[in-house]
């Protein structure tokens, strides 16, 4: 993570640095952002602070607003966030900022929170997969019942004595296996706190 000591010290200087990294003139960037070149100059010279509309437009062009305003983080928004719906990306950015602040204030609490968050995220993902799989099986069962009701009985569609997982699919992990894979000992630490 970039720190303020390795980045320009003011919002105007960081804005100018971002513009130069894009190989843009003030005129060309002003057009891209839909502002008068004089407004952009005032922002870069520190005469005025950029407003929310300008910040939103700059963000849409890939600028990390947290970096612009504070000097923390990368200059450009990560590509993952650019591929998400704006409201989702904004929530993730906000979460990242809160976590970064917590890490600076209390790294031990940050580590515990991050481990718990990671474990719970994996659990939520697996639960969503299982729910999707269950809905698919309910749909298959409904189709079988509909066939049977219409007289098209499918003898091969009876209950299977085979494994509970599909070919190529792994079985669900236990909580112990998850904690060993993701963050060894994290559950014990979370329970102690």
């Amino acid at each position: 993570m970039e720190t303020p000591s390795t980045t320009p010290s003011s919002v105007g200087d960081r804005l100018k640095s971002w513009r130069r990294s894009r190989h843009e003139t003030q005129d060309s960037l002003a057009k891209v952002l839909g502002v008068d070149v004089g407004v952009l100059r005032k922002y870069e010279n520190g005469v005025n602070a950029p407003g929310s509309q300008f910040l939103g437009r700059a963000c849409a062009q890939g600028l990390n607003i947290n970096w612009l305003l504070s000097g923390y983080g990368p200059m450009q928004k990560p590509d993952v966030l650019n591929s998400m719906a704006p409201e989702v990306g904004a929530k993730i950015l906000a979460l990242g900022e809160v976590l970064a602040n917590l890490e600076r204030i209390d790294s031990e609490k940050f580590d515990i929170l991050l481990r718990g968050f990671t474990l719970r995220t994996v659990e939520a993902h697996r639960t969503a997969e299982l729910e999707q799989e269950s809905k698919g099986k309910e749909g298959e069962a409904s189709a079988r019942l509909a066939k049977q009701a219409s007289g098209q009985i499918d003898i091969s569609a009876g209950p299977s004595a085979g494994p509970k997982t599909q070919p190529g699919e792994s079985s669900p992990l236990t909580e112990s296996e998850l904690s060993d894979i993701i963050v060894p000992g994290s559950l014990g630490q979370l329970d102690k706190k």
Side-chain angles (χ1 to χ4, degrees):
M1 176 189 316
E2 282 188 49
T3 61
S5 61
T6 62
T7 61
S9 62
S10 71
V11 171
D13 289 339
R14 285 189 290 276
L15 184 58
K16 188 182 301 180
S17 178
W18 175 64
R19 175 179 55 80
R20 288 179 176 164
S21 76
R22 293 171 49 99
H23 307 287
E24 299 258 11
T25 64
Q26 286 179 329
D27 288 327
S28 64
L29 184 61
K31 287 177 186 168
V32 167
L33 298 175
V35 297
D36 184 76
V37 68
V39 170
L40 181 60
R41 283 189 185 118
K42 287 181 180 180
Y43 292 161
E44 286 188 1
N45 292 328
V47 175
N48 292 335
S52 61
Q53 193 172 35
F54 176 87
L55 294 174
R57 290 175 182 166
C59 184
Q61 293 297 315
L63 177 63
N64 179 350
I65 301 305
N66 185 45
W67 175 83
L68 178 64
L69 298 177
S70 69
Y72 288 102
M75 179 189 293
Q76 299 293 327
K77 290 190 313 185
D79 289 338
V80 171
L81 297 178
N82 289 334
S83 67
M84 296 180 173
E87 61 276 4
V88 174
K91 288 177 183 177
I92 291 174
L93 280 174
L95 176 62
E97 290 173 17
V98 169
L99 288 174
N101 288 333
L102 179 60
E103 182 182 27
R104 283 191 291 277
I105 295 169
D106 189 335
S107 63
E108 185 179 337
K109 284 182 183 173
F110 168 80
D111 289 340
I112 292 168
L113 180 64
L114 190 59
R115 288 176 184 153
F117 179 75
T118 301
L119 182 61
R120 298 305 175 243
T121 301
V122 169
E123 284 180 61
H125 183 262
R126 184 63 186 148
T127 299
E129 285 177 337
L130 291 172
E131 287 172 352
Q132 253 183 341
E133 184 180 308
S134 175
K135 287 179 184 177
K137 287 181 181 178
E138 287 173 8
E140 290 171 11
S142 295
R144 264 197 320 268
L145 289 175
K147 279 184 180 181
Q148 289 172 353
S150 68
Q152 301 174 351
I153 300 175
D154 184 0
I155 298 173
S156 67
S160 170
K164 293 181 182 178
T165 58
Q166 300 293 326
E169 184 180 86
S170 61
S171 61
L173 296 174
T174 65
E175 190 169 327
S176 173
E177 291 169 324
L178 276 175
S179 65
D180 288 341
I181 292 170
I182 297 173
V183 192
S186 66
L187 292 177
Q189 288 182 353
L190 289 173
D191 292 339
K192 290 178 189 174
K193 294 287 174 179

